[in-house]
PDB file of all heavy atoms in Angstrom:
ATOM      1  N   LEU D  14     246.308 119.350 126.009  1.00  0.00           N
ATOM      2  CA  LEU D  14     247.278 120.284 126.539  1.00  0.00           C
ATOM      3  C   LEU D  14     248.661 120.204 125.791  1.00  0.00           C
ATOM      4  O   LEU D  14     249.313 121.129 125.478  1.00  0.00           O
ATOM      5  CB  LEU D  14     247.607 119.917 128.008  1.00  0.00           C
ATOM      6  CG  LEU D  14     247.057 120.756 129.137  1.00  0.00           C
ATOM      7  CD1 LEU D  14     247.425 120.160 130.486  1.00  0.00           C
ATOM      8  CD2 LEU D  14     247.618 122.245 129.037  1.00  0.00           C
ATOM      9  N   ILE D  15     249.067 118.913 125.634  1.00  0.00           N
ATOM     10  CA  ILE D  15     250.283 118.612 124.941  1.00  0.00           C
ATOM     11  C   ILE D  15     250.220 119.164 123.471  1.00  0.00           C
ATOM     12  O   ILE D  15     251.173 119.911 123.049  1.00  0.00           O
ATOM     13  CB  ILE D  15     250.613 117.126 124.864  1.00  0.00           C
ATOM     14  CG1 ILE D  15     250.942 116.623 126.280  1.00  0.00           C
ATOM     15  CG2 ILE D  15     251.796 116.866 123.902  1.00  0.00           C
ATOM     16  CD1 ILE D  15     251.069 115.114 126.370  1.00  0.00           C
ATOM     17  N   ALA D  16     249.107 118.950 122.833  1.00  0.00           N
ATOM     18  CA  ALA D  16     248.990 119.374 121.439  1.00  0.00           C
ATOM     19  C   ALA D  16     249.049 120.933 121.336  1.00  0.00           C
ATOM     20  O   ALA D  16     249.643 121.494 120.430  1.00  0.00           O
ATOM     21  CB  ALA D  16     247.651 118.873 120.790  1.00  0.00           C
ATOM     22  N   GLU D  17     248.399 121.614 122.286  1.00  0.00           N
ATOM     23  CA  GLU D  17     248.439 123.022 122.361  1.00  0.00           C
ATOM     24  C   GLU D  17     249.826 123.530 122.573  1.00  0.00           C
ATOM     25  O   GLU D  17     250.229 124.501 121.810  1.00  0.00           O
ATOM     26  CB  GLU D  17     247.508 123.458 123.530  1.00  0.00           C
ATOM     27  CG  GLU D  17     247.112 124.896 123.421  1.00  0.00           C
ATOM     28  CD  GLU D  17     246.229 125.178 124.725  1.00  0.00           C
ATOM     29  OE1 GLU D  17     245.223 124.414 124.921  1.00  0.00           O
ATOM     30  OE2 GLU D  17     246.530 126.098 125.414  1.00  0.00           O
ATOM     31  N   ASP D  18     250.601 122.996 123.466  1.00  0.00           N
ATOM     32  CA  ASP D  18     251.978 123.383 123.785  1.00  0.00           C
ATOM     33  C   ASP D  18     252.912 123.166 122.631  1.00  0.00           C
ATOM     34  O   ASP D  18     253.731 123.965 122.273  1.00  0.00           O
ATOM     35  CB  ASP D  18     252.440 122.877 125.047  1.00  0.00           C
ATOM     36  CG  ASP D  18     251.661 123.282 126.230  1.00  0.00           C
ATOM     37  OD1 ASP D  18     251.034 124.338 126.135  1.00  0.00           O
ATOM     38  OD2 ASP D  18     251.787 122.616 127.336  1.00  0.00           O
ATOM     39  N   ILE D  19     252.771 122.006 121.973  1.00  0.00           N
ATOM     40  CA  ILE D  19     253.578 121.670 120.806  1.00  0.00           C
ATOM     41  C   ILE D  19     253.209 122.580 119.578  1.00  0.00           C
ATOM     42  O   ILE D  19     254.130 123.151 118.940  1.00  0.00           O
ATOM     43  CB  ILE D  19     253.414 120.238 120.371  1.00  0.00           C
ATOM     44  CG1 ILE D  19     254.127 119.322 121.401  1.00  0.00           C
ATOM     45  CG2 ILE D  19     253.937 119.861 118.960  1.00  0.00           C
ATOM     46  CD1 ILE D  19     255.625 119.377 121.401  1.00  0.00           C
ATOM     47  N   ALA D  20     251.965 122.880 119.411  1.00  0.00           N
ATOM     48  CA  ALA D  20     251.558 123.755 118.336  1.00  0.00           C
ATOM     49  C   ALA D  20     252.153 125.107 118.515  1.00  0.00           C
ATOM     50  O   ALA D  20     252.586 125.808 117.522  1.00  0.00           O
ATOM     51  CB  ALA D  20     250.028 123.864 118.207  1.00  0.00           C
ATOM     52  N   ALA D  21     252.149 125.595 119.757  1.00  0.00           N
ATOM     53  CA  ALA D  21     252.717 126.964 120.046  1.00  0.00           C
ATOM     54  C   ALA D  21     254.215 126.932 119.760  1.00  0.00           C
ATOM     55  O   ALA D  21     254.724 128.075 119.421  1.00  0.00           O
ATOM     56  CB  ALA D  21     252.513 127.275 121.469  1.00  0.00           C
ATOM     57  N   GLN D  22     254.914 125.859 119.680  1.00  0.00           N
ATOM     58  CA  GLN D  22     256.404 125.820 119.536  1.00  0.00           C
ATOM     59  C   GLN D  22     256.719 125.246 118.166  1.00  0.00           C
ATOM     60  O   GLN D  22     257.893 124.909 117.918  1.00  0.00           O
ATOM     61  CB  GLN D  22     257.002 125.001 120.639  1.00  0.00           C
ATOM     62  CG  GLN D  22     256.916 125.576 122.024  1.00  0.00           C
ATOM     63  CD  GLN D  22     257.615 126.956 122.082  1.00  0.00           C
ATOM     64  OE1 GLN D  22     258.653 127.093 121.583  1.00  0.00           O
ATOM     65  NE2 GLN D  22     256.960 127.904 122.856  1.00  0.00           N
ATOM     66  N   ARG D  23     255.689 125.052 117.356  1.00  0.00           N
ATOM     67  CA  ARG D  23     255.924 124.299 116.040  1.00  0.00           C
ATOM     68  C   ARG D  23     257.056 124.904 115.203  1.00  0.00           C
ATOM     69  O   ARG D  23     258.004 124.236 114.813  1.00  0.00           O
ATOM     70  CB  ARG D  23     254.631 124.290 115.293  1.00  0.00           C
ATOM     71  CG  ARG D  23     254.705 123.466 114.024  1.00  0.00           C
ATOM     72  CD  ARG D  23     253.577 123.803 113.150  1.00  0.00           C
ATOM     73  NE  ARG D  23     253.512 125.071 112.617  1.00  0.00           N
ATOM     74  CZ  ARG D  23     252.613 125.700 111.871  1.00  0.00           C
ATOM     75  NH1 ARG D  23     251.576 124.942 111.574  1.00  0.00           N
ATOM     76  NH2 ARG D  23     252.717 126.816 111.468  1.00  0.00           N
ATOM     77  N   ASP D  24     256.988 126.244 115.057  1.00  0.00           N
ATOM     78  CA  ASP D  24     257.990 126.876 114.206  1.00  0.00           C
ATOM     79  C   ASP D  24     259.418 126.809 114.819  1.00  0.00           C
ATOM     80  O   ASP D  24     260.380 126.689 114.104  1.00  0.00           O
ATOM     81  CB  ASP D  24     257.565 128.294 113.876  1.00  0.00           C
ATOM     82  CG  ASP D  24     256.302 128.428 113.086  1.00  0.00           C
ATOM     83  OD1 ASP D  24     255.853 127.361 112.608  1.00  0.00           O
ATOM     84  OD2 ASP D  24     255.751 129.544 112.938  1.00  0.00           O
TER      85      ASP D  24
END
Side-chain angles (χ1 to χ4, degrees):
L14 255 179
I15 291 171
E17 198 181 305
D18 293 343
I19 287 289
Q22 296 295 320
R23 186 190 66 181
D24 295 349

